[in-house]
Amino acid sequence: MSSPPLAAAKKPPVIRLESVQKSFALPNGEVFDAVRSLSLEIPEGEVFGLIGKSGAGKSTLLRLINLLERPDAGKVFVGGRDLTTLSRRELRDTRQNIGMIFQQFNLLQNATVFDNVAFPLRIHGRHSRAEIDARVRECLELVGLGEKSYSYPAQLSGGQKQRVAIARALAPRPQVLLCDEPTSALDSETTRALLETLRDINQKIGVTIVIVTHELSVVEVLCRQVAILELGRLIEQFAVDAAPSAERETVLGREIDALVRRREREALPQPARHAAGGLAYA
């Protein structure tokens, strides 16, 4: 497996997985090994992509990070705490430090945008009404929906619904934001705008973002590090903007390199772009 760059390695890991495993029993009686003895560290403040073909184990791995799926073996550390050793109450409290965004938004349809974002703050009963009001408005402004507080989900576009989901996940001030295919239900223009929002959030508040996606363009545009999974195993990990390598171990890794090279060529002035293109195909 390729080693991450030294600059990233110096940051303390906010997420650390130690030899995690997860299997599922299939209806035919067979066992499917979704994640196989996988270890991974994600530095604090990183934007980290998890990619792989269907069935590679990426969504299961994401759900192991906040114990929506409990590993059959191994340990899961988030913010220095081993989640696998916590009581149910301790785990519930610790999950306030881990936001989650789903593919289908998972909004409360009969609640306003304001009430959707306020929901995780109210269920723990630790905040005054004034504190909740201020935090909800702050999060909605952060995702560019300050004027939609009293709209309902049915009145919003797909991109706006996903922004509400992001604001809700950010409301408890998490250290980590987990995103499970957040752009798969969106068109390309809305996807670009949402990725800009996530990048802006990472830069402004430093939240660590882990995103599962099957779209290589999402990794190329948003992520600084990427891990490639195959059959439940971590095959390759590298910095997205690192110099393209002829030693990439996976087809997906080489395809990401090609996207980065194309972006770099398109950013060049026209004469230099032609020269770079000629060199690339020489």
Side-chain angles (χ1 to χ4, degrees):
M1 184 181 71
S2 302
S3 298
L6 292 177
K10 290 179 181 178
K11 298 179 183 178
V14 67
I15 298 168
R16 180 159 54 91
L17 308 178
E18 292 185 359
S19 303
V20 292
Q21 298 179 194
K22 184 63 182 180
S23 301
F24 298 97
L26 302 178
N28 62 5
E30 295 181 358
V31 174
F32 172 63
D33 297 321
V35 176
R36 309 181 188 210
S37 193
L38 191 151
S39 297
L40 177 67
E41 290 188 354
I42 299 178
E44 186 174 6
E46 190 61 89
V47 184
F48 196 96
L50 294 174
I51 64 171
K53 296 179 181 179
S54 179
K58 52 191 184 295
S59 289
T60 299
L61 184 65
L62 192 78
R63 293 168 66 87
L64 288 173
I65 293 174
N66 63 359
L67 257 63
L68 286 178
E69 297 288 353
R70 182 170 286 273
D72 300 324
K75 296 180 179 181
V76 178
F77 293 88
V78 178
R81 303 191 74 185
D82 181 1
L83 273 56
T84 62
T85 66
L86 302 182
S87 67
R88 183 174 299 181
R89 180 175 180 177
E90 289 172 330
L91 181 58
R92 184 174 64 247
D93 290 341
T94 300
R95 280 184 176 141
Q96 292 290 293
N97 194 40
I98 309 171
M100 184 87 181
I101 304 169
F102 300 92
Q103 179 178 345
Q104 296 299 332
F105 322 131
N106 288 14
L107 300 180
L108 303 170
Q109 295 301 310
N110 295 323
T112 64
V113 166
F114 183 97
D115 289 335
N116 267 280
V117 178
F119 181 75
L121 301 176
R122 288 173 174 158
I123 59 175
H124 284 270
R126 297 174 181 170
H127 305 278
S128 68
R129 182 176 297 181
E131 288 171 335
I132 291 173
D133 184 82
R135 182 57 180 165
V136 169
R137 295 186 187 283
E138 180 182 3
C139 290
L140 288 175
E141 289 294 337
L142 191 60
V143 300
L145 289 179
E147 77 287 358
K148 296 291 185 180
S149 290
Y150 298 106
S151 299
Y152 286 85
Q155 299 171 301
L156 305 177
S157 68
Q160 289 172 332
K161 290 176 183 177
Q162 194 60 286
R163 288 170 186 270
V164 174
I166 293 170
R168 179 183 59 189
L170 293 175
R173 304 180 190 275
Q175 191 176 12
V176 172
L177 187 61
L178 306 179
C179 309
D180 193 2
E181 299 275 9
T183 63
S184 62
L186 306 176
D187 60 49
S188 58
E189 184 176 346
T190 306
T191 292
R192 283 194 297 272
L194 189 72
L195 296 180
E196 289 175 5
T197 298
L198 288 171
R199 186 190 300 111
D200 189 49
I201 288 168
N202 170 261
Q203 291 174 350
K204 283 183 176 178
I205 66 177
V207 64
T208 302
I209 297 176
V210 184
I211 182 169
V212 163
T213 182
H214 65 277
E215 301 172 78
L216 298 186
S217 59
V218 169
V219 174
E220 186 262 333
V221 168
L222 179 66
C223 299
R224 291 193 290 269
Q225 287 271 332
V226 62
I228 300 173
L229 275 60
E230 289 183 5
L231 300 176
R233 292 189 173 92
L234 176 58
I235 302 300
E236 187 169 25
Q237 180 181 341
F238 58 90
V240 174
D241 282 338
S245 171
E247 300 179 359
R248 290 280 180 251
E249 300 172 39
T250 62
V251 172
L252 291 176
R254 292 190 288 274
E255 289 178 348
I256 291 171
D257 275 353
L259 287 175
V260 172
R261 285 197 300 268
R262 186 178 70 182
R263 181 186 63 185
E264 291 172 347
R265 286 198 302 270
E266 290 175 349
L268 293 172
Q270 195 73 13
R273 188 186 308 174
H274 287 307
L279 289 172
Y281 293 102

